[in-house]
Amino acid sequence: MADGITGVVHLDPQAGEKVRGAAAGLGTDNSLDEIKRPELMEARRTGDIALVHSWELVTSVDGPGTRMTMFMSGCPLRCQYCHNPDTMEMKVGTLERIEDVVKRIKRYKPIFKASGGGLTISGGEPLFQIAFTRRVLKEVHDAGIHTTIDTSGFLGSRLRDEDLENIDLVLLDVKSGDEETYKLVTRRELQPTIDFGDRLSAMGKPVWIRFVVVPGLTDSPENVRNVAEIVGRWSNNVERIEVLPFHNMGADKWHELGYPYTLEDTKPPKPEDIEAIRDVFRAKGFTVY
């Protein structure tokens, strides 16, 4: 099926291992293994069905309070440090119906209310399977549950203004501060992320920024300054910045998939180097973690 970003996406219900994450007990009760391909393609177009990679139920990660995080399959970026490379292609996950997913999320509303938590849609890239994500966000938000997306912003233009009304918080990954480094990291362009960030700022949408420090790749003083300059444009709506140290815990997945892992010999940054980078953002008046 033509996705418009990455070319042809092959969504085969038999392709790849079906997996579920830490919240495995939340899985669907309905088997979709026997669905015919034309019906499946139409259901994906309308957002009736999507390929969900995995689930997690965690506290103080991916947003405030206790979060149910739904990881979607599919991503247009090819980040060198991705710790879920099996989400890049539409091959791994569980086919889920919209009504099952929404029902599952709503069951946790009392926990979300007590903890100040809610739903986070991540990936992969949550805007890759946009029709499904759009519908989940609306139904869950209409039910009074806090909603968050964790996105690179590369596909931010897919979100309509009414979609953004159903999103309470955006976790925006700014992977680099200049086009050359961004392309080296992701194989894509930086500008869509900037455009999306500008749009969120103009409407005052709450944002948490994430920046991953990869020694030899994203940690140069110039790149860090460039990221800080970009984020500085959004000082009115950025609530916090998370400076995250690179780790190679996803290396085994790269090997299992047969993908070339370019950061094999890269070590995590030193704690003092992370703090120095955090200070660059603090100097601009941001709350930094």
Side-chain angles (χ1 to χ4, degrees):
M1 179 175 182
D3 178 75
I5 294 295
T6 58
V8 176
V9 174
H10 300 288
L11 181 56
D12 186 333
Q14 301 300 322
E17 177 188 5
K18 293 201 170 184
V19 298
R20 292 191 174 94
L26 305 174
T28 182
D29 296 326
N30 298 321
S31 172
L32 295 172
D33 288 354
E34 302 304 319
I35 191 170
K36 301 299 183 182
R37 186 175 180 83
E39 181 185 354
L40 177 59
M41 293 300 98
E42 177 62 15
R44 180 175 181 266
R45 186 190 66 79
T46 60
D48 288 339
I49 292 174
L51 191 64
V52 176
H53 176 271
S54 54
W55 298 80
E56 286 184 352
L57 189 64
V58 294
T59 301
S60 298
V61 177
D62 297 331
T66 299
R67 312 299 301 182
M68 176 180 283
T69 302
M70 178 172 65
F71 296 89
M72 304 296 293
S73 287
C75 184
L77 273 58
R78 295 295 179 263
C79 298
Q80 291 189 40
Y81 55 76
C82 181
H83 60 275
N84 283 322
D86 48 340
T87 64
M88 292 178 179
E89 304 289 345
M90 298 283 289
K91 294 180 178 178
V92 179
T94 303
L95 289 170
E96 301 271 12
R97 293 187 189 276
I98 183 77
E99 57 267 28
D100 295 328
V101 165
V102 171
K103 181 179 178 181
R104 189 179 317 153
I105 296 164
K106 287 181 179 179
R107 287 208 302 261
Y108 284 77
K109 185 176 178 179
I111 295 175
F112 300 147
K113 185 175 181 180
S115 69
L119 170 71
T120 298
I121 306 182
S122 185
E125 168 55 59
L127 306 183
F128 193 83
Q129 298 185 77
I130 184 61
F132 187 85
T133 294
R134 173 180 288 132
R135 290 180 60 183
V136 171
L137 287 168
K138 177 169 176 50
E139 294 200 38
V140 171
H141 193 261
D142 284 351
I145 296 172
H146 184 278
T147 55
T148 298
I149 62 168
D150 180 6
T151 177
S152 71
F154 184 76
L155 300 179
S157 61
R158 290 185 168 189
L159 288 171
R160 307 171 304 204
D161 287 349
E162 54 263 41
D163 298 327
L164 287 168
E165 292 176 2
N166 296 318
I167 300 171
D168 295 305
L169 173 67
V170 176
L171 308 183
L172 183 59
D173 298 319
V174 181
K175 300 173 185 293
S176 173
D178 65 82
E179 285 285 358
E180 183 177 352
T181 304
Y182 196 93
K183 198 154 195 174
L184 180 63
V185 172
T186 70
R187 299 189 197 171
R188 295 293 185 178
E189 295 74 37
L190 169 61
Q191 192 59 47
T193 296
I194 297 176
D195 293 342
F196 186 54
D198 287 345
R199 183 179 171 202
L200 296 174
S201 179
M203 64 190 307
K205 180 67 63 178
V207 168
W208 291 6
I209 296 293
R210 287 175 163 177
F211 172 59
V212 179
V213 178
V214 185
L217 187 61
T218 67
D219 66 337
S220 73
E222 180 181 10
N223 190 52
V224 172
R225 283 195 302 270
N226 287 340
V227 173
E229 286 297 320
I230 291 170
V231 176
R233 299 162 56 153
W234 311 324
S235 59
N236 66 303
N237 65 312
V238 170
E239 298 182 341
R240 62 192 278 177
I241 296 176
E242 298 178 351
V243 177
L244 307 174
F246 160 79
H247 63 74
N248 58 9
M249 288 188 289
D252 288 346
K253 287 187 178 181
W254 285 79
H255 299 152
E256 290 170 6
L257 292 166
Y259 296 166
Y261 187 60
T262 58
L263 301 176
E264 199 76 57
D265 299 322
T266 302
K267 305 298 183 185
K270 298 176 181 177
E272 58 267 30
D273 293 337
I274 291 291
E275 280 306 306
I277 291 173
R278 287 175 176 149
D279 285 342
V280 173
F281 293 99
R282 291 187 181 115
K284 288 191 170 290
F286 290 108
T287 300
V288 185
Y289 294 87

